[in-house]
PDB file of all heavy atoms in Angstrom:
ATOM      1  N   TYR A 106    -109.844  19.342 148.611  1.00 93.00           N
ATOM      2  CA  TYR A 106    -110.864  19.691 147.634  1.00 93.00           C
ATOM      3  C   TYR A 106    -111.196  18.459 146.819  1.00 93.00           C
ATOM      4  O   TYR A 106    -110.324  17.637 146.538  1.00 93.00           O
ATOM      5  CB  TYR A 106    -110.371  20.809 146.715  1.00 93.00           C
ATOM      6  CG  TYR A 106    -110.103  22.085 147.457  1.00 93.00           C
ATOM      7  CD1 TYR A 106    -108.838  22.391 147.939  1.00 93.00           C
ATOM      8  CD2 TYR A 106    -111.135  22.994 147.684  1.00 93.00           C
ATOM      9  CE1 TYR A 106    -108.598  23.561 148.635  1.00 93.00           C
ATOM     10  CE2 TYR A 106    -110.897  24.166 148.383  1.00 93.00           C
ATOM     11  CZ  TYR A 106    -109.629  24.446 148.848  1.00 93.00           C
ATOM     12  OH  TYR A 106    -109.401  25.602 149.537  1.00 93.00           O
ATOM     13  N   PHE A 107    -112.465  18.337 146.426  1.00 95.00           N
ATOM     14  CA  PHE A 107    -112.918  17.196 145.654  1.00 95.00           C
ATOM     15  C   PHE A 107    -113.696  17.663 144.438  1.00 95.00           C
ATOM     16  O   PHE A 107    -114.493  18.598 144.534  1.00 95.00           O
ATOM     17  CB  PHE A 107    -113.833  16.288 146.501  1.00 95.00           C
ATOM     18  CG  PHE A 107    -113.131  15.655 147.665  1.00 95.00           C
ATOM     19  CD1 PHE A 107    -113.104  16.272 148.900  1.00 95.00           C
ATOM     20  CD2 PHE A 107    -112.493  14.442 147.517  1.00 95.00           C
ATOM     21  CE1 PHE A 107    -112.452  15.691 149.972  1.00 95.00           C
ATOM     22  CE2 PHE A 107    -111.842  13.849 148.580  1.00 95.00           C
ATOM     23  CZ  PHE A 107    -111.821  14.477 149.811  1.00 95.00           C
ATOM     24  N   GLY A 108    -113.454  17.005 143.319  1.00 96.00           N
ATOM     25  CA  GLY A 108    -114.257  17.211 142.117  1.00 96.00           C
ATOM     26  C   GLY A 108    -115.125  15.977 141.932  1.00 96.00           C
ATOM     27  O   GLY A 108    -114.644  14.850 142.036  1.00 96.00           O
ATOM     28  N   ILE A 109    -116.407  16.186 141.668  1.00 95.00           N
ATOM     29  CA  ILE A 109    -117.352  15.071 141.570  1.00 95.00           C
ATOM     30  C   ILE A 109    -118.104  15.167 140.247  1.00 95.00           C
ATOM     31  O   ILE A 109    -118.600  16.229 139.878  1.00 95.00           O
ATOM     32  CB  ILE A 109    -118.357  15.095 142.740  1.00 95.00           C
ATOM     33  CG1 ILE A 109    -117.607  14.995 144.075  1.00 95.00           C
ATOM     34  CG2 ILE A 109    -119.365  13.965 142.609  1.00 95.00           C
ATOM     35  CD1 ILE A 109    -118.486  15.207 145.279  1.00 95.00           C
ATOM     36  N   ASP A 110    -118.171  14.035 139.545  1.00 95.00           N
ATOM     37  CA  ASP A 110    -118.941  13.946 138.299  1.00 95.00           C
ATOM     38  C   ASP A 110    -119.906  12.777 138.450  1.00 95.00           C
ATOM     39  O   ASP A 110    -119.471  11.637 138.623  1.00 95.00           O
ATOM     40  CB  ASP A 110    -118.010  13.738 137.107  1.00 95.00           C
ATOM     41  CG  ASP A 110    -118.767  13.626 135.796  1.00 95.00           C
ATOM     42  OD1 ASP A 110    -119.844  14.234 135.676  1.00 95.00           O
ATOM     43  OD2 ASP A 110    -118.282  12.932 134.886  1.00 95.00           O
ATOM     44  N   ASP A 117    -117.668   9.675 139.550  1.00 96.00           N
ATOM     45  CA  ASP A 117    -116.226   9.808 139.624  1.00 96.00           C
ATOM     46  C   ASP A 117    -115.871  10.892 140.635  1.00 96.00           C
ATOM     47  O   ASP A 117    -116.545  11.913 140.716  1.00 96.00           O
ATOM     48  CB  ASP A 117    -115.657  10.220 138.256  1.00 96.00           C
ATOM     49  CG  ASP A 117    -116.040   9.261 137.158  1.00 96.00           C
ATOM     50  OD1 ASP A 117    -115.847   8.059 137.340  1.00 96.00           O
ATOM     51  OD2 ASP A 117    -116.521   9.712 136.106  1.00 96.00           O
ATOM     52  N   VAL A 118    -114.812  10.635 141.394  1.00 96.00           N
ATOM     53  CA  VAL A 118    -114.335  11.597 142.382  1.00 96.00           C
ATOM     54  C   VAL A 118    -112.830  11.761 142.211  1.00 96.00           C
ATOM     55  O   VAL A 118    -112.105  10.778 142.093  1.00 96.00           O
ATOM     56  CB  VAL A 118    -114.631  11.120 143.826  1.00 96.00           C
ATOM     57  CG1 VAL A 118    -114.121  12.124 144.843  1.00 96.00           C
ATOM     58  CG2 VAL A 118    -116.108  10.857 144.015  1.00 96.00           C
ATOM     59  N   THR A 119    -112.367  13.008 142.178  1.00 97.00           N
ATOM     60  CA  THR A 119    -110.946  13.323 142.156  1.00 97.00           C
ATOM     61  C   THR A 119    -110.672  14.281 143.305  1.00 97.00           C
ATOM     62  O   THR A 119    -111.408  15.233 143.512  1.00 97.00           O
ATOM     63  CB  THR A 119    -110.546  13.990 140.826  1.00 97.00           C
ATOM     64  OG1 THR A 119    -110.913  13.131 139.751  1.00 97.00           O
ATOM     65  CG2 THR A 119    -109.058  14.242 140.767  1.00 97.00           C
ATOM     66  N   ASP A 120    -109.603  14.002 144.073  1.00 94.00           N
ATOM     67  CA  ASP A 120    -109.289  14.902 145.181  1.00 94.00           C
ATOM     68  C   ASP A 120    -108.143  15.831 144.817  1.00 94.00           C
ATOM     69  O   ASP A 120    -107.559  15.736 143.740  1.00 94.00           O
ATOM     70  CB  ASP A 120    -109.017  14.139 146.481  1.00 94.00           C
ATOM     71  CG  ASP A 120    -107.772  13.277 146.439  1.00 94.00           C
ATOM     72  OD1 ASP A 120    -106.910  13.481 145.578  1.00 94.00           O
ATOM     73  OD2 ASP A 120    -107.661  12.389 147.313  1.00 94.00           O
ATOM     74  N   SER A 121    -107.835  16.754 145.729  1.00 91.00           N
ATOM     75  CA  SER A 121    -106.829  17.778 145.469  1.00 91.00           C
ATOM     76  C   SER A 121    -105.422  17.219 145.385  1.00 91.00           C
ATOM     77  O   SER A 121    -104.512  17.893 144.932  1.00 91.00           O
ATOM     78  CB  SER A 121    -106.903  18.863 146.545  1.00 91.00           C
ATOM     79  OG  SER A 121    -106.764  18.291 147.838  1.00 91.00           O
TER      80      SER A 121
END
Side-chain angles (χ1 to χ4, degrees):
Y106 297 93
F107 295 91
I109 301 172
D110 179 30
D117 304 309
V118 180
T119 304
D120 66 18
S121 56

